Amino acid sequence: PIGTPWVILHETVHIWNANDRSNWTREGLANFVSYLMMKKYNFKFRRGSTYRAWINSWRRTMGTVKDKGLYYNGRDNYYTVRQGKAMDFFAILYQQFGIVIIKDILLKGIRNKRFSDRDLKFLLINKYKYNYTNRLLKGWITPGSYVIRKASDAGGIKYPLP
């Protein structure tokens, strides 16, 4: 079936990030890396599985009462995580820092068998010297209103999506 490459790629990413603490890192990263691979190898997307479909679906709830933070709240599971939101967050990271940040997150998960919200903050501040980490995480990971809603709000897109 036409959706098979996406499923195989998505589940393959879980080999490396299955033990991440929160589902937003597991599912968002799996979805985003799958998207990058689908584009790279020119696989066909199923109608509801395109990047745009995921993002449009989530953005309809952005800033509404249905919009929940991606942070771990003890009730985090596959069905409650906002997968489009998580995927969009990884797209913002990619557009700001390039593929290297995605690799860093995957490698951290492989080495430590988990990647947490705290690990992301540490990585952004210490390795990438990103001065606006708290602004970037607000609304996405930490509670509060969004300061950065899309990559261009964070200072321009350095690495456009394929």
Side-chain angles (χ1 to χ4, degrees):
I2 202 162
T4 301
W6 175 275
V7 172
I8 291 169
L9 292 168
H10 177 95
E11 297 306 325
T12 301
V13 173
H14 286 317
I15 291 170
W16 296 293
N17 77 344
N19 293 319
D20 285 345
R21 188 176 125 212
S22 56
N23 267 314
W24 76 267
T25 56
R26 280 193 302 276
E27 296 304 326
L29 192 59
N31 285 335
F32 187 68
V33 170
S34 298
Y35 160 76
L36 292 176
M37 298 303 287
M38 293 283 289
K39 293 296 281 184
K40 179 176 181 167
Y41 295 109
N42 293 317
F43 291 135
K44 297 220 182 301
F45 288 93
R46 232 177 36 167
R47 192 166 160 184
S49 295
T50 65
Y51 173 76
R52 187 60 39 215
W54 280 100
I55 302 311
N56 287 341
S57 169
W58 118 254
R59 286 197 179 160
R60 284 191 290 275
T61 63
M62 185 180 205
T64 70
V65 270
K66 292 182 179 180
D67 183 7
K68 306 290 185 214
L70 294 174
Y71 52 90
Y72 183 72
N73 63 11
R75 294 183 309 271
D76 184 28
N77 65 52
Y78 179 84
Y79 299 102
T80 60
V81 71
R82 304 292 184 247
Q83 293 202 31
K85 181 176 185 173
M87 189 177 182
D88 202 12
F89 183 73
F90 279 106
I92 289 172
L93 292 177
Y94 175 91
Q95 290 173 79
Q96 290 299 304
F97 307 105
I99 193 66
V100 72
I101 195 165
I102 305 301
K103 290 177 181 177
D104 282 343
I105 293 168
L106 278 171
L107 286 173
K108 176 92 171 144
I110 291 167
R111 288 187 194 121
N112 297 345
K113 302 294 184 209
R114 64 184 295 173
F115 188 83
S116 69
D117 311 349
R118 192 174 293 157
D119 293 324
L120 175 61
K121 192 171 185 175
F122 183 84
L123 184 67
L124 288 170
I125 292 169
N126 293 302
K127 180 171 183 180
Y128 292 93
K129 308 296 184 215
Y130 189 63
N131 296 327
Y132 306 108
T133 298
N134 289 332
R135 290 179 59 209
L136 175 65
L137 299 180
K138 194 164 183 162
W140 294 95
I141 310 302
T142 59
S145 299
Y146 295 92
V147 176
I148 295 171
R149 289 172 137 332
K150 57 190 182 301
S152 57
D153 294 342
I157 295 172
K158 297 177 192 149
Y159 303 92
L161 288 173

